[in-house]
Amino acid sequence: MLKKLLFPLVAVFMLASCATPPTTIDVSPTISLPQQDPGLMGVTVSINGADQRKDQALAKVTRDNQLVTLTPSRDLRFLLQEVLEKQMTARGYMIGPNSPVDLQIIVNQLYADVSQGSVRYNIATKADIVIIATAKNGNKMTKNYRSSYNVEGAFQATNKNIANAVNSVLTDTIADMAQDTSVHDFIKQNAR
């Protein structure tokens, strides 16, 4: 009886030890929201997102002499579209079609460059996000938000280390978007 239980249990543990770590990075930045503008009266904006990165990888690392490609847990264009919708709603805008100003949020770059040796690793993360505001009257505005973040640690970089670096650079970029009023000012000037 004991052999019947023990053998499958040992087999499960042996297989579990051979399992490879997941190849997704949990992308969950902290979302900063701006102050509400009480002067907005029923202004609607439309928002869509785009991912224009050449490579969909967030990072590429060498593990057990193999190059492993790490991808985001969420579609970045939808994540950033959701962030911008929350920020615009917090300012007092309504989100919907047929608006006087269309906003597009574009991910140009989001990547963690991971270098690791036998005793240390370095993660250099960069984000480049653009918001393009296009008014129905023909006026257009482009605003870039860029951020970078570096971190070092002992031994090998884990998925969690890389996720923390990616989330940190995204959180900084989102905070810049919340504090910046240039897109908000453009909408107020062109929504009439």
Side-chain angles (χ1 to χ4, degrees), residues 11-77:
V12 166
F13 282 118
M14 287 177 64
L15 285 173
S17 66
C18 295
T20 58
T23 58
T24 56
I25 298 293
D26 180 32
V27 179
S28 53
T30 303
I31 299 174
S32 303
L33 297 177
Q35 296 287 332
Q36 184 172 4
D37 182 345
L40 288 175
M41 296 300 289
V43 177
T44 302
V45 293
S46 72
I47 299 175
N48 69 57
D51 187 349
Q52 294 186 346
R53 297 175 303 142
K54 291 176 179 60
D55 189 345
Q56 298 306 303
L58 275 182
K60 292 183 180 178
V61 294
T62 303
R63 293 189 174 142
D64 298 325
N65 296 325
Q66 290 189 333
L67 188 64
V68 177
T69 300
L70 302 174
T71 55
S73 59
R74 293 189 61 187
D75 188 323
L76 293 178
R77 67 190 159 134

Side-chain angles (χ1 to χ4, degrees), residues 10 64 102 115 117:
V10 169
D64 298 325
D102 298 326
S115 57

Side-chain angles (χ1 to χ4, degrees), residues 35-178:
Q35 296 287 332
Q36 184 172 4
D37 182 345
L40 288 175
M41 296 300 289
V43 177
T44 302
V45 293
S46 72
I47 299 175
N48 69 57
D51 187 349
Q52 294 186 346
R53 297 175 303 142
K54 291 176 179 60
D55 189 345
Q56 298 306 303
L58 275 182
K60 292 183 180 178
V61 294
T62 303
R63 293 189 174 142
D64 298 325
N65 296 325
Q66 290 189 333
L67 188 64
V68 177
T69 300
L70 302 174
T71 55
S73 59
R74 293 189 61 187
D75 188 323
L76 293 178
R77 67 190 159 134
F78 292 127
L79 170 70
L80 287 164
Q81 182 177 331
E82 180 185 314
V83 166
L84 188 56
E85 285 175 1
K86 286 182 178 178
Q87 288 184 340
M88 298 314 267
T89 303
R91 283 197 199 278
Y93 292 100
M94 294 185 294
I95 311 299
N98 303 321
S99 62
V101 179
D102 298 326
L103 300 179
Q104 183 178 34
I105 185 163
I106 301 169
V107 185
N108 284 329
Q109 181 181 19
L110 181 61
Y111 190 75
D113 186 13
V114 181
S115 57
Q116 45 192 11
S118 55
V119 291
R120 295 199 68 66
Y121 68 82
N122 184 54
I123 304 170
T125 313
K126 287 185 179 173
D128 180 358
I129 293 167
V130 177
I131 295 177
I132 299 173
T134 308
K136 294 291 188 253
N137 64 14
N139 290 340
K140 192 172 187 176
M141 177 195 155
T142 301
K143 180 66 183 178
N144 284 73
Y145 299 94
R146 293 184 180 104
S147 189
S148 60
Y149 177 79
N150 289 329
V151 65
E152 290 185 356
F155 305 113
Q156 301 290 303
T158 64
N159 284 10
K160 182 147 181 62
N161 298 137
I162 298 166
N164 289 345
V166 168
N167 287 322
S168 180
V169 78
L170 259 182
T171 296
D172 289 348
T173 307
I174 291 167
D176 289 347
M177 289 166 48

